[in-house]
Every structure is written in C-alpha cells, then in structure tokens.
Amino acid sequence: MRKRYSNLDDVKNNKSFKDMMKWNKERRSKVKDLTINIPQCQDKQIEKIKENRSRTSYTWIGHSTFLIQMNGINILTDPVWAKRMGFQKRLTEPGIPLEDLPEIDVIVISHGHYDHLDFPTIKKLKGNPQFFVPIGLKPLFNRKGYQKVSEMGWWESAEIRGIQIHFVPAQHWTRRTLTDMNTSHWGGFIFQSQEETLYFVGDTGYFAGFKQIAERFDNIDTVFMPIGAYEPEWFMKDSHISPEDSVKAFLELNAKKFVPMHYGAYRLADDTGPEALERLYREWEKQQLPNELLKVLTIGETMIEEKK
C-alpha cells in the first residue's frame, strides 16, 4: 500500500460531492469581470538576468513561478508555462518566454498539482538542473527520465553551491490521477545564503506552521506568499490562504518583504487577480504596515537586490 501524507494537526482537505455541487451553484450566480488582468512589466530586464552572476534577483513569471538568482545560481520555483489548466485558458502570458531564460541550475517543486508541476514546461528548459521535490514525487520524475532528483521531507535540508535549501511545511493536498491522492507531500522552500534568506511558501492555507517556521528561521528577508484562489472561502480556506490571512502569516514570520503570488494566471477558484490584490492592499492599510515592505510585481518584473 502506498504511503499517504497529511497536514499538521491532521487537517483534512476532503470535499464531498455535495460540497462540489454547492460551490457549482454559487459560481453560476456570480458575475465576474475577467477582462481586467494583472499587467505585464513594461521594462523587462531579460538581458540583465542572463548576464547576472553576482546579485540576488527575483523575477515573477506568473502564478507561483519565479526565477530566483542567488550566489550565481539560477533557481526556478514551480515552473509552469502551460497555456491552459484543465478547461481554463491562461489569463496572462508568462512574464518571460521559455527561450529567453538562462540555463537553470535548480528547480524546486512545492507539490504535484498540475498548476505547479508541468512536465512539458520542464522538458523545454535549458540546462541540466538539480530537482528538489517533496517526498513521494521522485519515482514520477524518474519515470519521466529525470535522475538528478532529491526528495525532501519537512524540515530536511540540502546544500548546493553555498545555498542551503530547506523544505518546510505547508497546509495543502495533492493529486495527479484518480488513484494517487496525497501519495506525495507538499510544502515550501527556504533558500539561505550567508547574506540573506528567501522563503517560497508554495501553496497553502493559513496554518500553525507559520509560527513554527518563524521559530526556526528568525531572519527571513523576502517571503513569496500566495494570495489567490481563496473564494468561496468555506470551500477553499484549508488549501488556499486568503489575502487577509496571508498578511497575518507575514506578520507571524516577522519577515522584511512580502511578494504576492498565486493569483491572476489561472482561474482556479471564483476570485480574480485584481480582487485578490485589492483585498491585500486593504488589509495592508488596515494593519498600518509600511508600504516599502510590500512589493507587488507586474508579470515579468525583476527585482535586483542591492549588494549588502
């Protein structure tokens, strides 16, 4: 029997057929404006990205995909350039065309859902990357022909060229077929160099794990935090964090910068990208947080950090 993985405090994400029908009925009654989308960056720094070997930078490709550059290493998080997700067409083009990416050294996968793990995308990437994946996913990668794959359980760490990579908990679930539900795990990744710490949260609901992560990593510089796919909240809250709870989690992490993600590319729930951002801004103002701590990127925008 295949091992099944679970959340902290054994929080379940199981939904019944009745729940699905209720959501479907609610969705039909909602009117959403899908013509307004998250804008593309008008000043993309593709050549600077290709040449960068010393500065820390991060570029939002869209959804949960970032190109992160640290210590001269090119890292991709949850690389997905897919034009469709099930029956839904992608709402916004990826921020950088696949062919314009530099060679990739490291790929991290937060979990096995198709909007976070897309093998047609991976096949087209340049380089010979090392993969870091949740425990239970390595056999799938091996069957696809990828051998440079390291599985990680929660709180496990690995080192690559001066960067410590830590796999930390998230509250979610996963499935790729009818029979493999939760047969691999899910989580986030923390990247630590001597100068800084970046935290890619992955896909998650709000959970007590944020406080545990804060206890172990007390100097987080930048958090890449999901804010979308939360509506209806009675259905989604165990799996997808709301904008308000994302701010709560950020405060618990005591991090220095908040970069939102997981919104605007695919319609996975009833909320839209602009709605998620509006609620994030409102909560930020409500909590009276400094504007400089929030960095909302346009698609394809690159932040290059100043040298410390």
Side-chain angles (χ1 to χ4, degrees), residues 39-49 59-61 93-97 298-302:
Q40 296 274 336
C41 178
Q42 298 304 305
D43 184 24
K44 297 182 181 180
Q45 302 185 53
I46 293 175
E47 292 307 316
K48 285 186 178 180
I49 291 169
T59 303
W60 191 35
I61 307 301
E93 289 295 315
I96 297 178
T298 52
I299 297 172
E301 184 175 356
T302 300

Side-chain angles (χ1 to χ4, degrees), residues 105-132:
D105 303 298
V106 171
I107 292 175
V108 299
I109 304 295
S110 66
H111 66 295
H113 278 150
Y114 283 89
D115 60 313
H116 295 261
L117 172 55
D118 182 52
F119 281 106
T121 290
I122 291 172
K123 186 177 181 180
K124 297 174 184 176
L125 293 171
K126 290 178 285 189
N128 183 25
Q130 174 70 48
F131 293 89
F132 294 94

Side-chain angles (χ1 to χ4, degrees), residues 198-231:
L198 310 183
Y199 173 22
F200 171 70
V201 174
D203 208 349
T204 188
Y206 173 79
F207 74 131
F210 287 117
K211 293 179 181 178
Q212 295 183 23
I213 292 165
E215 290 171 357
R216 295 183 182 230
F217 302 93
D218 59 0
N219 192 28
I220 298 173
D221 293 283
T222 302
V223 176
F224 303 96
M225 176 73 76
I227 65 166
Y230 55 81
E231 184 184 328

Side-chain angles (χ1 to χ4, degrees), residues 274-292:
E275 286 176 336
L277 267 185
E278 182 182 347
R279 283 178 55 164
L280 175 64
Y281 283 130
R282 282 205 307 265
E283 185 64 18
W284 203 263
E285 184 177 355
K286 179 181 176 182
Q287 298 297 330
Q288 298 182 322
L289 296 172
N291 290 335
E292 59 267 23

Side-chain angles (χ1 to χ4, degrees), residues 17-171:
F17 179 74
K18 183 178 179 180
D19 290 332
M20 293 293 296
M21 293 301 293
K22 179 183 176 183
W23 176 23
N24 190 50
K25 183 179 179 180
E26 286 184 10
R27 170 171 270 196
R28 290 199 304 269
S29 68
K30 296 175 182 176
V31 178
K32 297 285 185 174
D33 185 354
L34 302 180
T35 65
I36 301 175
N37 289 308
I38 307 304
Q40 296 274 336
C41 178
Q42 298 304 305
D43 184 24
K44 297 182 181 180
Q45 302 185 53
I46 293 175
E47 292 307 316
K48 285 186 178 180
I49 291 169
K50 289 181 178 179
E51 296 169 1
N52 182 31
R53 291 295 181 271
S54 60
R55 305 273 291 279
T56 294
S57 83
Y58 48 87
T59 303
W60 191 35
I61 307 301
H63 200 51
S64 297
T65 308
F66 287 88
L67 171 65
I68 298 173
Q69 298 181 302
M70 292 179 72
N71 275 27
I73 300 175
N74 293 321
I75 303 168
L76 268 184
T77 67
D78 289 358
V80 178
W81 266 253
K83 295 183 181 297
R84 306 189 72 89
M85 197 53 55
F87 296 109
Q88 298 286 341
K89 184 179 179 180
R90 188 173 186 134
L91 296 170
T92 53
E93 289 295 315
I96 297 178
L98 269 171
E99 59 270 22
D100 288 340
L101 287 176
E103 290 194 358
I104 303 303
D105 303 298
V106 171
I107 292 175
V108 299
I109 304 295
S110 66
H111 66 295
H113 278 150
Y114 283 89
D115 60 313
H116 295 261
L117 172 55
D118 182 52
F119 281 106
T121 290
I122 291 172
K123 186 177 181 180
K124 297 174 184 176
L125 293 171
K126 290 178 285 189
N128 183 25
Q130 174 70 48
F131 293 89
F132 294 94
V133 306
I135 190 168
L137 264 184
K138 184 176 181 178
L140 174 60
F141 275 80
N142 291 162
R143 290 197 300 271
K144 297 284 187 178
Y146 300 99
Q147 304 304 319
K148 292 179 63 176
V149 183
S150 299
E151 281 190 332
M152 302 181 77
W154 285 350
W155 307 120
E156 290 185 345
S157 302
E159 191 274 336
I160 183 165
R161 289 163 55 182
I163 294 178
Q164 291 289 324
I165 298 178
H166 310 269
F167 188 54
V168 297
Q171 181 171 289

